Amino acid sequence: MNLAIDPRLIARLSTEFTSLSEHMNVLGRDLQTLHGQVIAENARTTTTYTAAPVIAPPVTGAVVPAIAWPDPAATAAPVPGPAADPTPTAGPVAGQGVPQQTPTTAARPTGTGESSSVPPMAGARPGPVAGWSSVPPPGSAAGQAVPPAGTPAVPHAPAAGAPRPGWMTAAYQPMPQMPPQRGRAYARPVRAPWWQREGVISRVLAVAGVAVTLIGVVMLLVLAAQAGFFGPVPRVVAGAAFSGALVAVGTRVYGKAGGRVGGIALAATGIAGGYLDVIAMTTMYGWLNPVVGYVVALGIAAGGVALAVQWRAQGLAVLVLLGAALLAPIVTTELALLGFLIVLQIAALPVQSVRDWPWLHVVRTVPAVLATLVAITASALGMGSDATAASHRFQSLAAAIVIAVVGLVGAVLAGRQRPGDVAGSLSFAAATLPMLAAPIMFDRPGGVVVSASFATVLLLVAALPWIPKLSAALRIPGHLAVVSGLAGAFALLEACIGVSRVQTLPLALCVVAMGFLAVAGQQRSRIAAGVGAGYGVLGALAFFYQADPNTLADPAAAAAHLSISTALSALLVLAALVVAGWTARRLGLLDRESDATTLSVFAGIAGLYAVTALTVSLGVATGNPDGFRAGHGIATVVWMAAATAALLYGLRSLARTPQRAKVALAAGLLVTAAALAKLFLFDLATLDGLVRAAAFLVVGVLLLVAGTRYARAYADLEARTPTA
């Protein structure tokens, strides 16, 4: 075997490496061109411009490659005879520039009439190409070929022996920009499934680990005690040591690269486990006084929240509070549980002034609210012995008060720092639920005191933004005032229901409705107007239930159910309608003619019904046997008087406001028809004697007055109208 170096092998390898370098050179130019096209494509969506021709200035010693242009006359067949060998020129001719080139990959002609993107190797000279001409047209520079009109320019390879400019140093012109295509659909990036996204699986596993570990801690504290394993001291000590070790390991893991999720999970598990250990020592074993237990638990929870603030990890605070709150009922079900849940709510309170953590609002409020509602329901149902029932009621009430106060303070702190933080106000709305449910634990007077006191506080908080000095000092956000006002309105409704009977309930509701409507008109508050309208609707329904049409039409039912309180309720309904009209005008609800017409129709119907109930109730309240008939006769006269007033108003405003006049005239005619129908269908059969005659006489006179005025008004209108 010959071990000598073969020179031919060396030459062949050299040739192959040279060819590989040429291919890499072309690949680099193609990638550079593609890069420019991608940039132009991205820029085309925002900016459209026209690329100017690139004219390379003559540089001393630079070699500009010649351009070979296709010859239209020679595209069908090859040109016979030897082809001229195009040679590069040393530079542009005076007065001429280098022809414009298109930024495409360099192509060289091949012997088969095709173009190739691979340039010739060093020392190669291009041969004759079918369809290409090297003869310059008249006026062109020597050694250059000019293409026909509309033919794209293709750069030619340099001749043998000429220096080859590298693709990094060659001047290329950018692709001409196309006008942007409107309505072009761009493919949206496909999002990976949730389980493939970064950090999702690690977070899921971390939360599962926290839950399982805390359940193990609870089993150690509770189930082991029930089964008789270990003693109380080993169980508590083991739980405390295990929790402390988890916190220490979590702190070390958090400081390492990629250890944020694991560190948070370990620390949250340890802190929540320590909190459960304190609950067990206080409630199960009685080693700590409840007050001392609350203080120790507050320190543990506050330390966990402080660590979450230091790490800027809302998840740590949420896991600590949520884990302790969910597993605390397994450790104990005594009323002391409410205290430990409230401690969790208090521990997270200072965070609201430094961090915008909306989920923390939820997890610190909802567990305490739910547990207190369960305790209130149990006290209302009378669960437990009589000796402890009163104590349970007052402890539940105290827990409800503390939850509401802490929720209000947290909402104020969050609102002062971030006026748009609605999560704090919504958490306060949830915190008011135990206080709204607390009256069911007491008798009627006690429930009224609780509801009225709570309503007073809430309505004062809602009214603070309307006091300039207090509003500037406290900076209570508007959404918190709205939540407080709505909760206060509900508490006030509870107080109204508790303080009144069936006969007096419409009175209380109408009074409250007028108060809210008056405040709404004064402050131009649509929310207060909505609350007042709601109270007004409830008052109208209670009044309608007490004085329904059957009661107003039957003398026996009227005598049994109608009284002076019904008459007062009818007066308050009329007064509430007047205040509602004034408020609607102040709020701009009567600016449109259609809205004003609709509201006026409904108000008119309600007013006529209230007037009828008023007259009949007053007649029945007198105790006279003919009082019922007299009341209906007066009601018919009032109907006709209202119809006449509407007709006269419409006739008077016919020339100024025709649209409003037409509505008034239509309403007057309808009420007139209703009054006549009542007169002939009901009063004629029910009334007797002087009352019937008086009703017919008064209604007849009013009809004559309305008819006479109606005819004269239209006669005056026709006299003023010019005729053709």
Side-chain angles (χ1 to χ4, degrees), residues 204-218 265 269 319 323 326-327:
V204 172
L205 294 178
V207 172
V210 171
V212 173
T213 308
L214 287 178
I215 291 174
V217 172
V218 172
T269 306
L319 288 177
L326 291 180
L327 296 178

Side-chain angles (χ1 to χ4, degrees), residues 340-413:
F340 284 104
L341 294 179
I342 293 174
V343 165
L344 291 177
Q345 185 188 16
I346 297 174
L349 187 62
V351 183
Q352 310 306 327
S353 59
V354 294
R355 291 286 185 270
D356 185 12
W357 289 351
W359 288 108
L360 194 59
H361 285 291
V362 179
V363 298
R364 74 178 179 84
T365 304
V366 173
V369 169
L370 294 178
T372 307
L373 288 176
V374 171
I376 289 173
T377 304
S379 298
L381 295 177
M383 297 181 180
S385 60
D386 296 337
T388 60
S391 176
H392 285 182
R393 284 198 300 270
F394 286 104
Q395 290 181 16
S396 301
L397 178 61
I401 293 174
V402 174
I403 290 173
V405 171
V406 174
L408 178 60
V409 173
V412 171
L413 290 177

